[in-house]
Amino acid sequence: MQVLVVDDHPMVRTGLATLLSAMDPNVAVTSVGTWGEAAAHSGTPFHAVLLDLRLPDADGLATLGAAYAAFPGVPIIVVSADDDPALARAAIEAGASGFFPKRNDDREIVTALRTVLDNGIYLPADVIEAAVPTASVAAASATLTLTERQLAVARLAIHGKPNKVISRELGIAEGTVKSHLSTVFRVLGVRNRTEAVYALARVGLHRPY
Amino acid sequence: MQTPRSDRPPPHDAADTPASSEAFAQLVLGFVAERARLVPIPLLLTVIVSGLLLAREAPVALILVWAALVAATLGLWLAALPRLAADRTRPASHRLHLVALASLANGLAHGALAWLLFAWLDLAGRALVTMVIVGASTGAAAVTTGVPRAFACYAGAALAPLAALWLWSPALPDARLADRAVGGLVLLIGALQWVAARHAHRLLRMAFEHRLRFAEQLDRAEAVSQAKTRFLASVSHDLRQPLHTLTLYVGALRTRTGDAFSADILDKMTRATGALGELLTDLLDYSKIDAGAVQATPRAFDLVALVHEVVADYQPIAAAQGLPLEAQCPPAAPVYGDPLLTRRILANLLDNAIKYTPEGRVDVSVWPGRSRSVLRVDDTGVGIAPDQQERIFEEFYQLDTPQREHTRGLGLGLSIVRRLAELMDYGLKLDSAPGAGTRFSVSLPVAESDTAPRMEPAEAAPSGPATLVPRGLRALVVDDEETVRNAMALLLQDWGWEVMLARDAAVALARMEHVRPDLLLVDFRMAGGDGIELIEQVRARYGPQRILLITGEPLSARLQDARAAGLPILHKPVDGERLRAAIAALLRGEPGGARAASDAT
């Protein structure tokens, strides 16, 4: 599978590429340092895009919108030096499918990357807590009632894949896709994509993929 | 090494800059214009009194001419001065020339008294005139303070003719020498007044320059401080990237390393990168606060719940140093503030308390009040001397104690505490003495009862007796009855726990393959074997686990054996408090305690 790493710091690019390859030899990492170079890869079927918001030729959340448009259906994970939960929320709202701050515990990073490689949704636990502390109870019971298939459908939808693509990838009917989606949203008690991201990340905390 | 500021020679006199001269000129122009108001009344009185006295000897017409001249030049003075002071289109130094001209006119007018009337007056009359003019000149000196050239023009115009008259006019039958002497005296007085005027000007100028220089130094200090903040922010940001990269490489290495030695080294590397990351975070937080970039979002929240969370986080750290850390709080204390920032304050205070307490204890307490509630952190540590008590709040300042070698941190903790407290209008007090420990008290405004939302269940300590069970753990409940399973699930979820359910051993083991729970609650009776068998299987596969056995049956021999072997057993029906106590004991690692909490018979 192919992963695109966009970060203006060359050391970090090399580090991420090394780690990803060490985690999974099947991963081919393309790393670029500017948004311009990233956009040039627009057609490539990446499995995921790891995007730093601070780039020399594009700054901030506007880059996310552009990435979401340039790589439809591909999960865009924001990798950020800033771990402010408000920034995480803004990123999710702008189309990100995950957020991981450049913290310094390698085990946490490996968990995050593993989640991403497995198509999951990653948010750091404290970011989730900061946003929806009372959802812990709801998510806990959701763990019990949603099937893996339903969760898989939901994750793909969050990544921006249209229902048709989801039905093809998972080998199920489009109608089934829609029904799974509405079930998941109902059970999780979420009303929009952003809330779904948080809820699924929370579910993911307790049900590693 | 830079010499201290007081030793360095004062910088070049900034008086020489055209800009500062102009500013000074504008300033004194303003003064003179202001003082112009004081002139009319004394002048009027002088004219009237002296006019009346002199009218006995001199022709009234001449006196009236003099009065008219004085009035005219006064009018000119009063009209011109405010306009000159306000007119910014011409440089102030030019305008001062015009002031001097106006002074000249006034001097001529006032001095006219002498050369108009001298011929008619006797010695006494001339003495009176002299007194009037010299007096007026003193007044003029006061009115034109700061503009010596204006005074010079006035004095010259008023006193020179007077002195000349004394020196050369036809003498009266009285002493001739005395006439010249008076003329000389008049000139002397004029000279002295001129010297005084120059001196006053110089003093004013010096004061003005001092003020300018002070303002400049203030600006410079402010600029330095901002530069420091920017520097800190950029340093901590720039250092993060290579640090993060190191972390990534440690992660990559970990995927390969099998042997225990290397794994251990990697763990130590992770700790080191973590510590470095924390230092940088401190630095970055400090620079954000310093730059005023931190906003408080105040709302009502429960201080006691927050205290319990933070204390729980710090328990392991305190324990590692052999220090008991306890919280003594009432059931709740609604306050108004930013919970995240308050958490930071408490965390930093605890950090410090633990750091500076080699032995003894650390206590956190909450004292609710009517308008303010107080959060207190007490330690039995080394204490702080009175002369240090202000300095410890300075950034990068740390007490010079033996603990210094072991401290991590940059000395920013208390500086951040103080600034955050200021931001949220909390009171901050320090009581300490060397050898007597330290107490930090933070006072927070109380939230009005209708604005304080009832605490969210996930945050509240369980109501009732204070057995505390940490939130966010995961339990696996194994029971063959669905109603029991669901009831247990609800109970545990209420505490903010994650619950997995299984109806028999097979399902339980299958679930454990994917996710490891923190605690197992196993019913003794289940389909296909009993709870004890399951426990043994779990232990065989996954090693020791925290397990609580629940049974509705009286103690059979089998159960008694299990209990004797150390397995905590609870009897149904299980009420919430007993379950909590048993779980809390288990989590603390006291299976014996759990046993005591469980049913005895």
Side-chain angles (χ1 to χ4, degrees):
Chain A
M1 63 176 98
Q2 301 195 64
V3 171
L4 177 65
V5 169
V6 190
D7 191 306
D8 66 332
H9 209 273
M11 248 193 258
V12 171
R13 284 203 297 273
T14 319
L16 261 180
T18 309
L19 179 53
L20 282 166
S21 312
M23 283 171 65
D24 188 340
N26 296 322
V27 170
V29 178
T30 309
S31 42
V32 299
T34 65
W35 171 246
E37 292 174 282
H41 285 91
S42 178
T44 320
F46 287 114
H47 176 83
V49 174
L50 297 170
L51 176 68
D52 184 328
L53 289 181
R54 253 189 273 214
L55 296 171
D57 57 344
D59 202 29
L61 296 169
T63 324
L64 252 180
Y68 199 60
F71 300 97
V74 176
I76 318 277
I77 317 295
V78 170
V79 178
S80 170
D82 183 354
D83 62 359
D84 181 7
L87 177 64
R89 186 174 197 93
I92 305 291
E93 275 169 15
S97 301
F99 181 90
F100 90 72
K102 287 179 179 173
R103 289 195 188 141
N104 296 294
D105 185 330
D106 61 287
R107 290 162 297 196
E108 199 183 316
I109 294 180
V110 165
T111 307
L113 289 175
R114 178 90 267 144
T115 309
V116 169
L117 291 176
D118 290 345
N119 242 339
I121 304 212
Y122 181 82
L123 287 174
D126 58 303
V127 167
I128 301 176
E129 286 305 310
V132 281
T134 48
S136 59
V137 175
S141 53
T143 311
L144 312 172
T145 57
L146 292 174
T147 67
E148 277 303 335
R149 173 57 61 86
Q150 286 167 330
L151 289 174
V153 168
R155 271 179 251 130
L156 292 176
I158 282 180
H159 293 333
K161 295 201 193 322
N163 289 357
K164 197 180 308 234
V165 173
I166 299 179
S167 85
R168 205 175 348 132
E169 279 192 24
L170 294 179
I172 54 180
E174 235 183 286
T176 316
V177 169
K178 285 202 198 123
S179 122
H180 281 328
L181 271 179
S182 61
T183 305
V184 170
F185 273 50
R186 189 176 28 93
V187 167
L188 290 176
V190 298
R191 293 162 299 178
N192 55 39
R193 180 185 170 273
T194 303
E195 289 183 11
V197 169
Y198 277 86
L200 283 184
R202 203 159 204 296
V203 170
L205 261 190
H206 301 290
R207 260 174 104 163
Y209 301 91
Chain B
M1 190 60 186
Q2 267 207 324
T3 53
R5 213 162 279 232
S6 52
D7 292 355
R8 275 192 263 125
H12 258 297
D13 197 9
D16 303 310
T17 71
S20 83
S21 296
E22 174 69 15
F24 181 69
Q26 180 63 42
L27 182 69
V28 294
L29 197 48
F31 285 167
V32 174
E34 237 180 85
R35 265 181 265 117
R37 298 178 290 119
L38 302 172
V39 174
I41 297 187
L43 197 55
L44 207 61
L45 285 173
T46 310
V47 166
I48 294 176
V49 169
S50 49
L52 287 172
L53 285 173
L54 293 169
R56 278 185 254 145
E57 290 175 49
V60 177
L62 285 178
I63 296 177
L64 289 176
V65 165
W66 175 66
L69 280 174
V70 168
T73 52
L74 176 65
L76 170 70
W77 187 254
L78 289 175
L81 258 303
R83 232 158 270 161
L84 283 174
D87 176 14
R88 303 287 169 142
T89 63
R90 277 181 293 181
S93 32
H94 291 187
R95 287 179 271 150
L96 287 179
H97 287 315
L98 295 172
V99 171
L101 275 178
S103 286
L104 183 73
N106 273 276
L108 285 172
H110 299 188
L113 185 62
W115 47 264
L116 277 174
L117 302 184
F118 245 46
W120 307 97
L121 298 173
D122 65 354
L123 188 60
R126 292 180 184 188
L128 177 65
V129 163
T130 305
M131 190 183 79
V132 166
I133 295 179
V134 171
S137 163
T138 310
V143 163
T144 59
T145 309
V147 194
R149 87 189 87 156
F151 175 71
C153 291
Y154 178 93
L159 295 178
L162 179 63
L165 283 169
W166 278 104
L167 288 169
W168 289 297
S169 70
L172 298 172
D174 316 75
R176 190 185 254 271
L177 195 55
D179 297 351
R180 304 211 207 280
V182 175
L185 266 177
V186 166
L187 288 176
L188 183 63
I189 291 173
L192 283 173
Q193 286 175 336
W194 164 238
V195 166
R198 290 233 37 171
H199 192 64
H201 171 261
R202 208 177 32 238
L203 278 178
L204 261 183
R205 189 67 199 249
M206 259 171 51
F208 180 72
E209 293 304 329
H210 273 291
R211 194 179 71 172
L212 263 188
R213 226 175 292 153
F214 180 68
E216 270 169 34
Q217 280 182 348
L218 217 62
D219 282 340
R220 235 176 287 146
E222 182 62 36
V224 165
S225 170
Q226 283 176 358
K228 170 200 80 176
T229 304
R230 278 197 307 272
F231 168 72
L232 285 180
S234 83
V235 154
S236 74
H237 181 257
D238 288 341
L239 288 178
R240 279 168 169 245
Q241 307 282 25
L243 177 60
H244 179 69
T245 312
L246 264 179
T247 311
L248 295 171
Y249 287 130
V250 168
L253 211 49
R254 217 189 271 274
T255 63
R256 288 289 175 275
T257 318
D259 68 293
F261 177 74
S262 305
D264 184 49
I265 300 273
L266 286 173
D267 280 341
K268 293 185 163 109
M269 288 173 75
T270 302
R271 267 210 295 275
T273 53
L276 204 46
E278 275 177 38
L279 284 177
L280 286 181
T281 304
D282 262 358
L283 209 51
L284 192 62
D285 282 351
Y286 167 75
S287 68
K288 269 195 229 164
I289 296 175
D290 197 39
V294 169
Q295 304 272 17
T297 34
R299 60 179 176 86
F301 68 97
D302 180 20
L303 180 60
V304 170
L306 189 136
V307 165
H308 285 311
E309 281 174 26
V310 179
V311 164
D313 285 340
Y314 273 86
Q315 285 290 2
I317 303 176
Q321 262 190 240
L323 292 172
L325 168 63
E326 274 175 26
Q328 276 122 34
C329 310
V335 294
Y336 190 73
D338 184 318
L340 273 175
L341 299 182
T342 310
R343 175 186 288 261
R344 190 58 195 273
I345 289 180
L346 181 55
N348 284 13
L349 289 176
L350 280 178
D351 249 342
N352 261 40
I354 295 175
K355 215 191 290 184
Y356 287 101
T357 304
E359 56 182 3
R361 52 184 302 113
V362 177
D363 289 296
V364 182
S365 48
V366 172
W367 304 84
R370 193 159 299 193
S371 66
R372 291 225 153 207
S373 291
V374 178
L375 167 65
R376 210 169 264 175
V377 177
D378 286 285
D379 69 59
T380 58
V382 292
I384 307 167
D387 60 336
Q388 307 269 27
Q389 290 187 7
E390 185 52 39
R391 298 213 62 191
I392 53 168
F393 289 100
E394 287 173 24
E395 45 260 9
F396 306 115
Y397 187 83
Q398 299 198 68
L399 287 181
D400 211 5
T401 64
Q403 281 75 19
R404 267 287 271 129
E405 300 136 40
H406 303 292
T407 53
R408 4 164 240 126
L410 299 160
L412 289 173
L414 286 180
S415 145
I416 292 181
V417 163
R418 174 187 265 181
R419 284 171 193 253
L420 289 180
E422 274 169 22
L423 204 61
M424 293 187 284
D425 206 23
Y426 290 172
L428 181 60
K429 206 161 72 99
L430 164 62
D431 293 293
S432 178
T438 303
R439 161 178 294 179
F440 279 95
S441 309
V442 183
S443 71
L444 299 84
V446 167
E448 278 97 46
S449 51
D450 50 75
T451 59
R454 208 50 215 133
M455 303 163 292
E456 293 149 6
E459 283 182 297
S463 55
T467 314
L468 286 174
V469 169
R471 299 179 315 132
L473 296 180
R474 187 186 303 135
L476 172 61
V477 176
V478 189
D479 193 308
D480 61 343
E481 282 179 24
E482 185 174 10
T483 41
V484 172
R485 282 201 304 276
N486 288 340
M488 270 301 201
L490 276 173
L491 184 61
L492 293 170
Q493 280 165 5
D494 211 20
W495 302 348
W497 280 42
E498 184 80 8
V499 182
M500 302 192 302
L501 300 177
R503 69 167 176 280
D504 58 30
V507 176
L509 288 168
R511 301 227 63 183
M512 280 193 75
E513 263 190 329
H514 292 281
V515 183
R516 219 59 72 67
D518 298 296
L519 177 71
L520 284 99
L521 288 154
V522 179
D523 188 44
F524 179 62
R525 204 204 1 202
M526 57 179 72
D530 63 30
I532 296 182
E533 274 176 32
L534 168 61
I535 293 169
E536 277 159 29
Q537 282 175 308
V538 164
R539 284 194 172 142
R541 211 185 287 195
Y542 302 102
Q545 299 288 310
R546 288 190 209 94
I547 307 185
L548 205 53
L549 186 68
I550 305 183
T551 178
E553 299 169 359
L555 279 178
S556 57
R558 193 158 157 67
L559 279 170
Q560 276 173 359
D561 288 347
R563 179 136 59 100
L567 179 65
I569 299 182
L570 274 180
H571 278 252
K572 293 192 216 182
V574 179
D575 76 279
E577 176 53 18
R578 218 147 20 97
L579 182 61
R580 247 200 309 268
I583 292 181
L586 249 191
L587 291 172
R588 280 199 298 268
E590 305 162 8
R595 204 165 19 148
S598 65
D599 252 319
T601 50

